[in-house]
Amino acid sequence: MGEQSPFPTVLITGASGGIGEAFAHVAAAEGHPLILVARTEAELHRVRGVVIARYAVPVSIIVLDLGKPGACDELANELEARKLVPDILINNAGFGLIGKAAELSRADQLQMIDLNVRALTDLTLRFLPGMIAKGSGGIINVASTAGFMPGPNMAVYFATKAYVLSFTDALYEETKGSGVTLTNLSPGPVETGFQRRAGMKQARSLSRVVPKTAMAVAQAGWAGFKAGERVVVPGTMNKLAAYALRGAPRRVILPVLKRAMGMAKAR
C-alpha cells in the first residue's frame, strides 16, 4: 500500500464490540496505533483496556454516535484538536432492522441510512483526499452479503449495504495506481450484537452453515485489504450464496429472501 510509516494509525468506527472490536485486536497485534469510535462509552473503555493490556500500542477513544446530525464534523474537530490523523479508516459502524418497511419506525429507518450510508460516505470523502495526497493508506468499508441482493423484510438495511458495495467498488477503480487501497468487506452471518439490535434471531439460527466469528471476519478483511483486494467475502459458502443470488432472476429470489428474513425475525 506504499505506507510511509511502518505503523500507520487506524481509525475504527463501531469499535465497541463485534467486528469493530476484532479489527482493533488484529491491527494492534501488528503495531498500529488505534483511534476507536463508538457511541457506548463503557464498552469503548473496555475494548481499550483489553487492547492496551495485550499490545504495546497507543489507543485513543472518541465517544460519538455517528448517526446523529453533525457527528462527522464533531469527529473531525476532535481529531484535529488531538492532532490525530488516521492513515487507515475502517467504516464498521452500522445497524439493521428486521420487519416490513411500512411497519417499522420511519425515524429509525432514516437513522439507519444516516449511519450506514451518510456517515460512511462522509468519513470516506473526508479522509480519502489526504490518503491520495500521501500516496498511502486506505479504507475498509464494511458492507454485508446483503449488499448483493434485495431484502424483503429488511428492505432499507439491504439497500444501504448495496450502496456501500457500489460506492466502494467505484472508489476502488478511481484510486487505482494511487497507492491507496479501497476494500469492501462483505461478511455473512456473524455472532455479534447486531442481531439483538435488529430484532433478529441469533446468527446460528439463520443458516445451517456455521457463521464466521467476528475475529475470523476481521482477519479476512484485514488480509484482503493488505493484499489490495476490492471485495472480501469471508467463507466459501458465503461467496457462493452472494454471487449466485446476485445473478439469479429477482422474481425467483425475492419470495425466497422474503421467507428467509421472515423466519429470521425474533419472536
Side-chain angles (χ1 to χ4, degrees):
M1 292 181 292
E3 296 159 347
Q4 296 177 348
S5 165
F7 302 111
T9 298
V10 180
L11 189 157
I12 306 170
T13 70
S16 60
I19 295 171
E21 178 178 0
F23 263 122
H25 285 273
V26 171
E30 295 188 3
H32 294 274
L34 302 179
I35 305 167
L36 307 181
V37 182
R39 63 193 182 111
T40 310
E41 184 172 8
E43 287 302 297
L44 265 185
H45 280 289
R46 178 189 62 78
V47 173
R48 180 181 184 274
V50 174
V51 169
I52 63 175
R54 294 182 180 177
Y55 316 103
V57 298
V59 180
S60 302
I61 63 172
I62 299 176
V63 181
L64 193 61
D65 183 349
L66 290 170
K68 299 296 184 183
C72 291
D73 290 332
E74 189 176 339
L75 174 58
N77 292 338
E78 186 66 21
L79 291 173
E80 184 177 2
R82 299 194 198 183
K83 294 181 170 52
L84 295 171
V85 179
D87 302 295
I88 296 170
L89 168 65
I90 302 177
N91 274 313
N92 171 70
F95 73 97
L97 293 171
I98 191 166
K100 294 181 179 180
E103 298 174 358
L104 293 170
S105 162
R106 178 170 58 89
D108 288 346
Q109 292 181 89
L110 291 175
Q111 186 182 22
M112 194 194 315
I113 295 172
D114 285 339
L115 182 58
N116 296 10
V117 173
R118 185 179 178 86
L120 177 144
T121 304
D122 188 321
L123 295 181
T124 298
L125 298 180
R126 282 177 191 263
F127 298 121
L128 182 57
M131 294 174 182
I132 293 173
K134 291 188 296 184
S136 64
I139 300 171
I140 301 174
N141 284 330
V142 179
S144 168
T145 52
F148 289 82
M149 61 201 83
N153 289 321
M154 285 192 83
V156 174
Y157 175 74
F158 275 56
T160 65
K161 295 307 181 180
Y163 171 89
V164 174
L165 182 62
S166 176
F167 177 61
T168 310
D169 277 358
L171 293 183
Y172 174 90
E173 188 65 26
E174 289 181 2
T175 56
K176 272 185 177 179
S178 68
V180 176
T181 299
L182 268 293
T183 295
N184 191 316
L185 174 59
S186 295
V190 183
E191 292 285 9
T192 68
F194 174 90
Q195 287 82 24
R196 182 175 59 256
R197 187 176 185 188
M200 300 172 68
K201 296 177 182 178
Q202 287 302 101
R204 290 184 185 277
S205 65
L206 300 180
S207 173
R208 292 181 182 178
V209 179
V210 177
K212 291 289 185 182
T213 63
M215 181 57 71
V217 168
Q219 289 171 335
W222 188 251
F225 172 73
K226 292 198 297 180
E229 294 181 17
R230 176 178 57 86
V231 179
V232 177
V233 182
T236 301
M237 294 304 296
N238 286 329
K239 287 187 181 72
L240 291 173
Y243 288 105
L245 287 171
R246 191 180 209 182
R250 293 201 171 185
R251 61 181 173 80
V252 174
I253 65 167
L254 282 169
V256 174
L257 290 167
K258 179 182 178 181
R259 175 176 170 79
M261 300 317 301
M263 292 174 64
K265 187 173 182 178
R267 306 299 181 185

